[in-house]
Coordinates of all heavy atoms in Angstrom, one line a residue:
L616 N 162.0 16.0 293.1 CA 160.5 16.0 293.2 C 160.0 14.7 293.8 O 159.1 14.7 294.6 CB 159.9 16.3 291.8 CG 158.4 16.3 291.7 CD1 157.9 17.5 292.6 CD2 158.0 16.5 290.3
I617 N 160.6 13.6 293.3 CA 160.2 12.3 293.8 C 160.5 12.1 295.3 O 159.7 11.6 296.1 CB 160.9 11.2 293.0 CG1 160.3 11.2 291.6 CG2 160.6 9.8 293.6 CD1 161.0 10.2 290.6
L618 N 161.6 12.7 295.7 CA 161.9 12.6 297.2 C 160.9 13.4 298.0 O 160.5 13.0 299.0 CB 163.4 13.2 297.4 CG 163.9 13.2 298.8 CD1 164.0 11.8 299.3 CD2 165.2 13.9 298.9
L619 N 160.5 14.6 297.5 CA 159.5 15.4 298.2 C 158.2 14.7 298.3 O 157.5 14.7 299.3 CB 159.4 16.7 297.4 CG 158.4 17.7 298.1 CD1 158.9 18.1 299.4 CD2 158.2 18.9 297.2
I620 N 157.8 14.0 297.2 CA 156.5 13.2 297.2 C 156.6 12.1 298.2 O 155.7 11.8 299.0 CB 156.2 12.7 295.8 CG1 155.9 13.9 294.9 CG2 155.1 11.7 295.8 CD1 155.8 13.5 293.4
A621 N 157.8 11.4 298.3 CA 158.0 10.3 299.2 C 157.9 10.8 300.6 O 157.3 10.1 301.5 CB 159.3 9.6 298.9
I622 N 158.5 11.9 300.9 CA 158.5 12.5 302.3 C 157.0 12.8 302.7 O 156.6 12.5 303.8 CB 159.4 13.7 302.4 CG1 160.9 13.2 302.3 CG2 159.2 14.4 303.7 CD1 161.9 14.3 302.1
A623 N 156.3 13.5 301.8 CA 154.9 13.8 302.1 C 154.0 12.6 302.3 O 153.2 12.6 303.2 CB 154.3 14.7 300.9
Y624 N 154.2 11.6 301.5 CA 153.5 10.3 301.6 C 153.8 9.7 303.0 O 152.9 9.2 303.7 CB 153.8 9.4 300.5 CG 153.1 8.1 300.6 CD1 151.8 7.9 300.2 CD2 153.8 6.9 301.1 CE1 151.1 6.7 300.3 CE2 153.1 5.7 301.2 CZ 151.8 5.6 300.8 OH 151.2 4.4 300.9
T625 N 155.0 9.6 303.3 CA 155.4 9.0 304.6 C 154.8 9.8 305.8 O 154.4 9.2 306.7 CB 157.0 9.0 304.7 OG1 157.5 8.3 303.6 CG2 157.4 8.3 306.0
C626 N 154.9 11.1 305.7 CA 154.3 11.9 306.8 C 152.8 11.6 306.9 O 152.3 11.5 308.1 CB 154.5 13.4 306.6 SG 156.2 13.9 306.8
A627 N 152.1 11.5 305.8 CA 150.6 11.3 305.9 C 150.3 9.9 306.4 O 149.4 9.7 307.2 CB 150.0 11.4 304.5
V628 N 151.1 8.9 306.0 CA 150.9 7.5 306.5 C 151.2 7.5 308.0 O 150.4 6.8 308.8 CB 151.8 6.5 305.7 CG1 151.8 5.2 306.4 CG2 151.3 6.4 304.3
L629 N 152.3 8.1 308.5 CA 152.6 8.1 309.9 C 151.5 8.8 310.7 O 151.1 8.3 311.8 CB 153.9 8.7 310.1 CG 155.1 7.9 309.6 CD1 156.4 8.6 309.8 CD2 155.2 6.5 310.2
A630 N 151.0 9.9 310.2 CA 149.9 10.6 310.9 C 148.6 9.7 310.9 O 147.9 9.7 312.0 CB 149.6 11.9 310.2
G631 N 148.4 9.0 309.9 CA 147.2 8.1 309.8 C 147.3 7.0 310.8 O 146.4 6.6 311.5
R632 N 148.5 6.4 310.9 CA 148.7 5.3 311.8 C 148.6 5.8 313.3 O 148.1 5.1 314.1 CB 150.1 4.7 311.6 CG 150.2 3.8 310.4 CD 151.5 3.2 310.2 NE 151.6 2.4 309.0 CZ 152.7 2.0 308.5 NH1 153.9 2.1 309.1 NH2 152.7 1.3 307.3
N633 N 149.2 7.0 313.5 CA 149.1 7.6 314.8 C 147.6 7.8 315.2 O 147.3 7.6 316.4 CB 149.9 8.8 314.9 CG 150.2 9.3 316.3 OD1 150.0 8.6 317.2 ND2 150.6 10.6 316.4
S634 N 146.9 8.3 314.3 CA 145.4 8.6 314.6 C 144.7 7.3 314.9 O 143.8 7.2 315.8 CB 144.8 9.3 313.4 OG 145.3 10.5 313.2
R635 N 145.0 6.2 314.1 CA 144.4 4.9 314.4 C 144.8 4.4 315.8 O 143.9 3.8 316.5 CB 144.8 3.9 313.3 CG 144.0 4.0 312.1 CD 144.2 2.8 311.2 NE 143.4 3.0 310.0 CZ 143.8 2.5 308.9 NH1 144.8 1.7 308.8 NH2 143.0 2.7 307.8
Q636 N 146.0 4.5 316.1 CA 146.5 4.0 317.4 C 145.8 4.8 318.6 O 145.6 4.2 319.6 CB 148.0 4.1 317.6 CG 148.7 3.1 316.7 CD 150.2 3.3 316.7 OE1 150.7 4.2 317.2 NE2 150.9 2.3 316.2
M637 N 145.5 6.0 318.4 CA 144.9 6.9 319.4 C 143.4 6.7 319.4 O 142.7 7.2 320.3 CB 145.3 8.3 319.2 CG 146.7 8.6 319.5 SD 147.4 10.2 318.9 CE 146.3 11.3 319.7
G638 N 142.9 5.9 318.5 CA 141.4 5.7 318.4 C 140.6 6.8 317.8 O 139.4 7.0 318.2
L639 N 141.2 7.6 317.0 CA 140.6 8.8 316.4 C 140.0 8.5 315.1 O 139.3 9.4 314.5 CB 141.5 9.9 316.4 CG 142.1 10.3 317.7 CD1 143.2 11.4 317.5 CD2 141.1 10.8 318.6
Q640 N 140.2 7.3 314.5 CA 139.7 7.1 313.2 C 138.2 7.2 313.0 O 137.6 7.6 312.0 CB 140.1 5.7 312.7 CG 139.7 5.5 311.2 CD 140.1 4.1 310.7 OE1 140.6 3.3 311.5 NE2 139.9 3.8 309.5
K641 N 137.5 6.9 314.1 CA 136.0 6.9 314.0 C 135.5 8.4 313.9 O 134.4 8.6 313.4 CB 135.4 6.3 315.3 CG 135.7 7.0 316.6 CD 135.1 6.2 317.7 CE 135.5 6.8 319.0 NZ 135.0 6.0 320.2
Y642 N 136.3 9.3 314.2 CA 135.9 10.7 314.0 C 136.3 11.2 312.6 O 135.7 12.1 312.0 CB 136.6 11.6 315.0 CG 136.1 11.4 316.4 CD1 136.9 10.6 317.3 CD2 134.9 11.9 316.8 CE1 136.4 10.4 318.6 CE2 134.4 11.6 318.1 CZ 135.2 10.9 319.0 OH 134.8 10.6 320.2
I643 N 137.4 10.6 312.0 CA 137.9 11.0 310.7 C 137.1 10.3 309.6 O 136.8 11.0 308.6 CB 139.4 10.7 310.7 CG1 140.1 11.5 311.7 CG2 139.9 11.1 309.3 CD1 141.6 11.2 311.9
G644 N 136.9 9.1 309.7 CA 136.2 8.3 308.6 C 135.6 7.1 309.2 O 135.7 6.8 310.3
R645 N 134.9 6.4 308.3 CA 134.2 5.2 308.7 C 135.2 4.1 309.1 O 136.2 3.9 308.5 CB 133.3 4.6 307.5 CG 132.1 5.4 307.3 CD 131.3 4.6 306.3 NE 130.3 5.5 305.7 CZ 129.5 5.2 304.8 NH1 129.6 4.0 304.2 NH2 128.7 6.1 304.3
L646 N 134.8 3.3 310.0 CA 135.5 2.1 310.4 C 135.2 1.0 309.5 O 134.4 1.1 308.6 CB 135.2 1.7 311.9 CG 135.5 2.8 312.9 CD1 135.0 2.3 314.3 CD2 137.0 3.1 313.0
K647 N 135.9 -0.1 309.7 CA 135.6 -1.3 308.9 C 134.2 -1.8 309.0 O 133.7 -1.8 310.1 CB 136.6 -2.4 309.3 CG 136.5 -3.6 308.4 CD 137.6 -4.6 308.8 CE 137.3 -5.9 308.1 NZ 138.2 -7.0 308.6
E648 N 133.5 -2.1 307.9 CA 132.2 -2.5 308.0 C 132.1 -4.0 308.2 O 133.1 -4.7 308.0 CB 131.5 -2.1 306.7 CG 131.4 -0.6 306.5 CD 131.1 -0.2 305.1 OE1 131.1 -1.0 304.2 OE2 130.9 1.0 304.9
L649 N 130.9 -4.5 308.6 CA 130.8 -5.9 309.0 C 131.1 -6.9 307.9 O 131.8 -7.9 308.0 CB 129.4 -6.2 309.6 CG 129.1 -5.5 310.9 CD1 127.7 -5.8 311.3 CD2 130.1 -6.0 312.0
N650 N 130.5 -6.7 306.7 CA 130.7 -7.6 305.6 C 131.8 -7.3 304.7 O 132.0 -7.9 303.6 CB 129.4 -7.7 304.8 CG 128.2 -8.2 305.6 OD1 128.4 -9.0 306.5 ND2 127.0 -7.7 305.3
R651 N 132.7 -6.4 305.1 CA 133.8 -6.0 304.3 C 135.1 -6.7 304.7 O 135.4 -6.8 305.9 CB 134.0 -4.5 304.4 CG 134.7 -3.8 303.3 CD 134.6 -2.3 303.5 NE 135.4 -1.6 302.6 CZ 134.9 -1.1 301.5 NH1 133.6 -1.2 301.2 NH2 135.6 -0.5 300.6
L652 N 135.9 -7.2 303.8 CA 137.1 -7.9 304.1 C 138.2 -7.0 304.5 O 139.1 -7.3 305.4 CB 137.5 -8.8 303.0 CG 136.5 -10.0 302.6 CD1 137.0 -10.7 301.4 CD2 136.3 -10.9 303.8
H653 N 138.3 -5.9 303.9 CA 139.4 -5.0 304.1 C 138.9 -3.7 304.7 O 137.8 -3.3 304.6 CB 140.1 -4.7 302.7 CG 140.6 -5.9 302.0 ND1 141.7 -6.6 302.4 CD2 140.1 -6.5 300.9 CE1 141.8 -7.7 301.6 NE2 140.9 -7.6 300.7
R654 N 139.9 -2.9 305.3 CA 139.5 -1.6 305.8 C 139.0 -0.7 304.7 O 139.4 -0.8 303.6 CB 140.7 -1.0 306.5 CG 141.2 -1.6 307.8 CD 142.3 -0.8 308.3 NE 142.8 -1.4 309.5 CZ 142.5 -1.1 310.8 NH1 141.7 0.0 310.9 NH2 143.0 -1.7 311.8
R655 N 138.2 0.2 305.1 CA 137.6 1.1 304.1 C 138.6 2.1 303.6 O 138.6 2.5 302.4 CB 136.4 1.8 304.7 CG 135.6 2.6 303.8 CD 134.3 3.1 304.4 NE 133.6 3.9 303.4 CZ 132.6 3.4 302.6 NH1 132.4 2.1 302.6 NH2 132.0 4.2 301.8
H656 N 139.4 2.6 304.5 CA 140.4 3.6 304.1 C 141.8 3.3 304.6 O 141.9 2.7 305.7 CB 140.0 5.0 304.7 CG 138.7 5.5 304.2 ND1 138.4 5.8 302.9 CD2 137.5 5.7 304.9 CE1 137.2 6.2 302.8 NE2 136.6 6.1 304.0
S657 N 142.8 3.6 303.9 CA 144.2 3.4 304.3 C 144.7 4.4 305.3 O 144.0 5.4 305.5 CB 145.1 3.4 303.0 OG 145.1 4.7 302.5
A658 N 145.8 4.1 305.8 CA 146.5 5.0 306.8 C 146.8 6.3 306.1 O 146.7 7.4 306.7 CB 147.7 4.4 307.4
F659 N 147.1 6.3 304.8 CA 147.4 7.5 304.0 C 146.2 8.4 304.0 O 146.3 9.6 304.2 CB 147.9 7.1 302.6 CG 148.1 8.2 301.7 CD1 149.1 9.1 301.9 CD2 147.2 8.4 300.7 CE1 149.3 10.2 301.0 CE2 147.4 9.5 299.8 CZ 148.4 10.4 300.0
W660 N 145.0 7.8 303.7 CA 143.8 8.5 303.6 C 143.4 9.1 304.9 O 143.0 10.3 305.0 CB 142.7 7.6 303.0 CG 141.4 8.4 302.7 CD1 141.1 8.9 301.6 CD2 140.4 8.7 303.7 NE1 139.8 9.5 301.7 CE2 139.4 9.4 303.0 CE3 140.1 8.4 305.0 CZ2 138.2 9.8 303.6 CZ3 139.0 8.8 305.6 CH2 138.0 9.5 304.9
V661 N 143.6 8.4 306.0 CA 143.2 8.8 307.3 C 144.1 10.0 307.7 O 143.6 11.0 308.3 CB 143.3 7.7 308.3 CG1 143.1 8.2 309.8 CG2 142.2 6.6 308.1
G662 N 145.4 9.9 307.4 CA 146.3 11.0 307.7 C 146.0 12.3 307.0 O 146.0 13.4 307.5
L663 N 145.7 12.2 305.7 CA 145.4 13.4 304.9 C 144.0 13.9 305.3 O 143.9 15.1 305.5 CB 145.3 13.0 303.4 CG 146.6 12.8 302.7 CD1 146.4 12.5 301.2 CD2 147.5 14.0 302.8
Y664 N 143.0 13.1 305.5 CA 141.7 13.6 305.8 C 141.6 14.1 307.2 O 140.9 15.0 307.5 CB 140.7 12.5 305.6 CG 139.3 13.0 305.5 CD1 138.8 13.7 304.3 CD2 138.4 12.9 306.6 CE1 137.6 14.2 304.2 CE2 137.1 13.4 306.4 CZ 136.7 14.0 305.3 OH 135.4 14.6 305.2
G665 N 142.5 13.6 308.1 CA 142.5 14.2 309.5 C 143.0 15.6 309.5 O 142.5 16.5 310.2
Q666 N 144.0 15.9 308.6 CA 144.5 17.3 308.5 C 143.4 18.2 307.9 O 143.2 19.3 308.4 CB 145.7 17.3 307.6 CG 146.9 16.7 308.2 CD 148.1 16.6 307.3 OE1 148.0 17.0 306.1 NE2 149.2 16.1 307.8
L667 N 142.7 17.7 306.9 CA 141.6 18.5 306.3 C 140.4 18.7 307.3 O 139.8 19.8 307.4 CB 141.0 17.8 305.1 CG 142.0 17.7 303.9 CD1 141.4 16.9 302.8 CD2 142.2 19.1 303.4
W668 N 140.2 17.7 308.1 CA 139.1 17.8 309.1 C 139.4 18.9 310.2 O 138.5 19.7 310.5 CB 138.9 16.4 309.8 CG 137.7 16.3 310.7 CD1 136.4 16.4 310.4 CD2 137.8 16.1 312.1 NE1 135.6 16.2 311.5 CE2 136.4 16.1 312.6 CE3 138.8 16.0 313.0 CZ2 136.1 15.9 313.9 CZ3 138.5 15.8 314.4 CH2 137.2 15.7 314.8
V669 N 140.6 18.9 310.6 CA 141.0 19.9 311.6 C 141.0 21.3 311.0 O 140.5 22.3 311.6 CB 142.4 19.6 312.2 CG1 143.0 20.8 313.0 CG2 142.4 18.4 313.0
G670 N 141.5 21.4 309.7 CA 141.4 22.7 309.0 C 140.0 23.2 308.8 O 139.7 24.4 309.0
A671 N 139.1 22.3 308.5 CA 137.7 22.7 308.3 C 137.1 23.1 309.6 O 136.3 24.1 309.7 CB 136.9 21.5 307.7
M672 N 137.4 22.4 310.7 CA 136.8 22.8 312.0 C 137.3 24.1 312.4 O 136.6 24.9 313.1 CB 137.2 21.7 313.1 CG 136.3 20.5 313.1 SD 134.6 20.9 313.4 CE 134.7 21.3 315.1
E673 N 138.6 24.5 312.1 CA 139.1 25.8 312.5 C 138.4 26.9 311.7 O 138.1 27.9 312.2 CB 140.6 25.8 312.3 CG 141.4 25.0 313.3 CD 142.9 25.0 313.0 OE1 143.3 25.4 311.9 OE2 143.6 24.4 313.8
F674 N 138.1 26.5 310.4 CA 137.5 27.5 309.5 C 136.1 27.8 309.9 O 135.6 28.9 309.9 CB 137.6 27.0 308.0 CG 137.0 27.9 307.0 CD1 137.8 29.0 306.7 CD2 135.8 27.7 306.5 CE1 137.3 29.9 305.7 CE2 135.3 28.6 305.5 CZ 136.1 29.7 305.1
W675 N 135.3 26.7 310.3 CA 133.9 26.8 310.7 C 133.7 26.8 312.2 O 132.6 26.5 312.6 CB 133.2 25.7 310.1 CG 133.2 25.6 308.6 CD1 133.9 24.8 307.8 CD2 132.5 26.5 307.7 NE1 133.7 25.1 306.5 CE2 132.8 26.1 306.4 CE3 131.6 27.5 307.9 CZ2 132.3 26.8 305.3 CZ3 131.1 28.2 306.8 CH2 131.4 27.8 305.5
A676 N 134.7 27.2 312.9 CA 134.6 27.2 314.4 C 133.4 28.0 315.0 O 132.7 27.5 315.9 CB 135.9 27.7 315.0
D677 N 133.2 29.2 314.4 CA 132.1 30.0 314.9 C 130.8 29.3 314.7 O 129.9 29.3 315.6 CB 132.1 31.4 314.2 CG 133.4 32.2 314.5 OD1 134.0 31.9 315.6 OD2 133.8 33.0 313.7
L678 N 130.6 28.8 313.5 CA 129.3 28.1 313.2 C 129.2 26.8 314.1 O 128.1 26.5 314.6 CB 129.3 27.7 311.7 CG 128.0 27.1 311.2 CD1 126.9 28.1 311.3 CD2 128.2 26.7 309.8
A679 N 130.2 26.1 314.3 CA 130.2 24.9 315.2 C 129.8 25.3 316.6 O 129.0 24.6 317.3 CB 131.5 24.2 315.2
H680 N 130.4 26.4 317.1 CA 130.0 26.8 318.5 C 128.6 27.3 318.6 O 127.9 27.0 319.6 CB 131.0 27.9 319.0 CG 132.4 27.4 319.3 ND1 132.6 26.5 320.3 CD2 133.5 27.6 318.6 CE1 133.9 26.2 320.3 NE2 134.5 26.9 319.3
D681 N 128.1 27.9 317.5 CA 126.6 28.3 317.5 C 125.8 27.1 317.6 O 124.7 27.0 318.3 CB 126.3 29.1 316.3 CG 126.9 30.5 316.4 OD1 127.3 30.9 317.5 OD2 127.1 31.2 315.3
L682 N 126.1 26.0 316.8 CA 125.4 24.8 316.8 C 125.4 24.1 318.2 O 124.4 23.6 318.6 CB 126.0 23.8 315.8 CG 125.3 22.5 315.7 CD1 123.9 22.6 315.2 CD2 126.1 21.6 314.7
M683 N 126.6 24.2 318.8 CA 126.7 23.6 320.2 C 125.7 24.3 321.2 O 125.2 23.7 322.0 CB 128.1 23.7 320.7 CG 129.0 22.7 320.0 SD 130.7 22.8 320.7 CE 131.6 22.6 319.2
R684 N 125.6 25.6 321.0 CA 124.7 26.4 321.9 C 123.2 26.0 321.6 O 122.4 26.1 322.5 CB 124.9 27.9 321.7 CG 126.1 28.4 322.6 CD 126.2 29.8 322.5 NE 126.7 30.1 321.1 CZ 127.7 30.9 320.8 NH1 128.2 31.6 321.7 NH2 128.1 31.0 319.6
L685 N 122.9 25.7 320.4 CA 121.5 25.4 320.0 C 121.1 24.0 320.6 O 119.9 23.8 320.8 CB 121.4 25.4 318.5 CG 121.3 26.7 317.8 CD1 121.3 26.6 316.3 CD2 120.1 27.5 318.3
K686 N 122.0 23.1 320.7 CA 121.7 21.7 321.1 C 122.5 21.4 322.4 O 123.5 20.6 322.4 CB 122.1 20.7 320.0 CG 121.4 20.9 318.7 CD 120.0 20.5 318.8 CE 119.3 20.6 317.5 NZ 118.0 20.1 317.5
P687 N 122.1 21.9 323.5 CA 122.8 21.6 324.8 C 122.8 20.2 325.2 O 123.7 19.7 325.9 CB 122.2 22.5 325.8 CG 120.9 22.9 325.3 CD 121.0 22.8 323.8
S688 N 121.8 19.4 324.8 CA 121.7 18.0 325.1 C 122.8 17.2 324.4 O 123.1 16.1 324.9 CB 120.3 17.5 324.8 OG 120.1 17.5 323.4
K689 N 123.3 17.7 323.3 CA 124.3 17.0 322.6 C 125.7 17.4 323.0 O 126.7 17.0 322.3 CB 124.1 17.2 321.1 CG 122.8 16.8 320.6 CD 122.6 15.4 320.5 CE 121.3 15.0 319.9 NZ 121.0 13.6 320.0
L690 N 125.9 18.2 324.0 CA 127.2 18.8 324.4 C 128.2 17.7 324.7 O 129.4 17.9 324.3 CB 127.0 19.7 325.6 CG 128.2 20.6 325.9 CD1 128.5 21.5 324.7 CD2 127.9 21.5 327.1
P691 N 127.9 16.6 325.3 CA 129.0 15.6 325.6 C 129.5 15.0 324.2 O 130.7 14.8 324.1 CB 128.2 14.5 326.3 CG 127.1 15.1 327.0 CD 126.7 16.3 326.1
Y692 N 128.7 14.9 323.2 CA 129.2 14.4 321.9 C 130.1 15.5 321.2 O 131.1 15.1 320.6 CB 128.0 14.0 321.0 CG 127.1 13.0 321.6 CD1 125.9 13.3 322.1 CD2 127.6 11.7 321.8 CE1 125.1 12.3 322.7 CE2 126.8 10.7 322.4 CZ 125.6 11.0 322.8 OH 124.8 10.0 323.4
F693 N 129.6 16.7 321.4 CA 130.5 17.8 320.8 C 131.8 17.8 321.5 O 132.8 18.1 320.8 CB 129.8 19.1 320.9 CG 128.6 19.3 320.1 CD1 127.4 19.8 320.6 CD2 128.6 19.0 318.7 CE1 126.3 20.0 319.8 CE2 127.5 19.1 317.9 CZ 126.3 19.6 318.5
R694 N 131.8 17.6 322.8 CA 133.1 17.7 323.5 C 134.0 16.5 323.1 O 135.2 16.7 323.0 CB 132.8 17.6 325.0 CG 132.3 18.9 325.5 CD 132.3 19.0 327.0 NE 131.8 20.3 327.4 CZ 131.1 20.5 328.5 NH1 130.8 19.4 329.3 NH2 130.7 21.7 328.8
K695 N 133.5 15.4 322.8 CA 134.3 14.2 322.3 C 134.9 14.6 321.0 O 136.1 14.3 320.8 CB 133.4 13.0 322.1 CG 133.1 12.2 323.4 CD 132.3 11.0 323.0 CE 131.9 10.2 324.2 NZ 131.1 9.0 323.8
G696 N 134.1 15.2 320.1 CA 134.7 15.6 318.8 C 135.8 16.7 319.0 O 136.8 16.6 318.3
L697 N 135.6 17.7 319.9 CA 136.6 18.7 320.1 C 137.8 18.1 320.7 O 139.0 18.5 320.4 CB 136.0 19.8 321.0 CG 134.9 20.7 320.4 CD1 134.4 21.6 321.4 CD2 135.5 21.4 319.1
R698 N 137.7 17.1 321.6 CA 138.8 16.4 322.2 C 139.6 15.7 321.1 O 140.8 15.7 321.0 CB 138.4 15.5 323.3 CG 139.6 14.8 323.9 CD 139.1 13.9 325.1 NE 140.3 13.3 325.7 CZ 140.8 12.2 325.3 NH1 140.3 11.6 324.2 NH2 141.8 11.6 325.9
A699 N 138.9 15.0 320.2 CA 139.5 14.3 319.1 C 140.3 15.3 318.2 O 141.4 15.0 317.7 CB 138.5 13.5 318.3
M700 N 139.7 16.4 317.9 CA 140.3 17.4 317.1 C 141.6 17.9 317.7 O 142.6 18.0 317.1 CB 139.4 18.6 316.8 CG 140.0 19.6 315.8 SD 138.9 21.0 315.5 CE 138.9 21.8 317.0
S701 N 141.6 18.1 319.0 CA 142.8 18.6 319.7 C 143.9 17.5 319.7 O 145.1 17.8 319.6 CB 142.5 19.1 321.1 OG 142.1 18.0 321.9
L702 N 143.5 16.2 319.8 CA 144.5 15.2 319.8 C 145.1 15.0 318.4 O 146.3 14.7 318.2 CB 143.8 13.8 320.2 CG 143.5 13.7 321.7 CD1 142.7 12.4 321.9 CD2 144.7 13.7 322.5
I703 N 144.2 15.2 317.3 CA 144.8 15.2 316.0 C 145.7 16.3 315.7 O 146.8 16.1 315.1 CB 143.6 15.2 315.0 CG1 142.8 13.9 315.0 CG2 144.1 15.4 313.5 CD1 141.5 13.9 314.3
Q704 N 145.4 17.5 316.2 CA 146.3 18.6 316.1 C 147.6 18.4 316.8 O 148.7 18.7 316.3 CB 145.7 19.9 316.7 CG 144.6 20.5 315.8 CD 144.0 21.7 316.4 OE1 143.9 21.8 317.6 NE2 143.5 22.6 315.6
S705 N 147.6 17.7 318.0 CA 148.8 17.5 318.7 C 149.7 16.4 318.0 O 150.9 16.4 318.1 CB 148.5 17.0 320.1 OG 147.9 15.8 320.1
A706 N 149.0 15.5 317.3 CA 149.7 14.5 316.5 C 150.4 15.0 315.3 O 151.4 14.5 314.8 CB 148.8 13.3 316.1
L707 N 149.8 16.1 314.7 CA 150.4 16.7 313.5 C 151.6 17.5 313.9 O 152.5 17.8 313.4 CB 149.4 17.6 312.8 CG 148.1 16.9 312.4 CD1 147.2 17.9 311.7 CD2 148.5 15.8 311.3

């Protein structure tokens, strides 16, 4: 059981580091704030939350596409988010 937990933790940390290196952390969670000494979230948190973010986007895809159609002026921002989601999926 401990070995399984260690493997899962390592996978989440590596996914989080990979997301940070690709510059995707700004889509997953907040970046470091100005008056803060340490990062807001660890690589472990970024790795886990990235997987949840992609899962939620897949679950709510129809609603997200309807929203994109309602706000055509925001389409470049939506495309950035969709590109980030596809990069996170490829990293997993």
Side-chain angles (χ1 to χ4, degrees):
L616 182 62
I617 292 174
L618 181 62
L619 183 63
I620 292 170
I622 291 170
Y624 178 80
T625 303
C626 290
V628 168
L629 292 176
R632 286 183 184 169
N633 193 16
S634 296
R635 276 193 184 152
Q636 288 174 351
M637 292 169 51
L639 302 174
Q640 184 183 2
K641 63 184 173 183
Y642 294 102
I643 297 171
R645 285 189 198 173
L646 300 175
K647 185 177 171 185
E648 297 163 351
L649 292 177
N650 296 329
R651 202 174 174 96
L652 296 176
H653 304 288
R654 288 183 184 261
R655 185 170 182 93
H656 300 295
S657 66
F659 174 71
W660 187 91
V661 171
L663 285 182
Y664 199 73
Q666 292 174 355
L667 290 174
W668 187 66
V669 169
M672 279 297 290
E673 289 174 352
F674 184 75
W675 297 105
D677 296 333
L678 187 62
H680 288 293
D681 290 341
L682 178 65
M683 287 181 219
R684 276 185 288 228
L685 286 175
K686 300 288 184 177
S688 63
K689 305 288 184 184
L690 195 58
Y692 301 109
F693 290 134
R694 286 191 180 146
K695 281 184 184 179
L697 292 174
R698 183 177 178 276
M700 185 178 70
S701 66
L702 289 173
I703 292 170
Q704 283 177 332
S705 69
L707 300 177

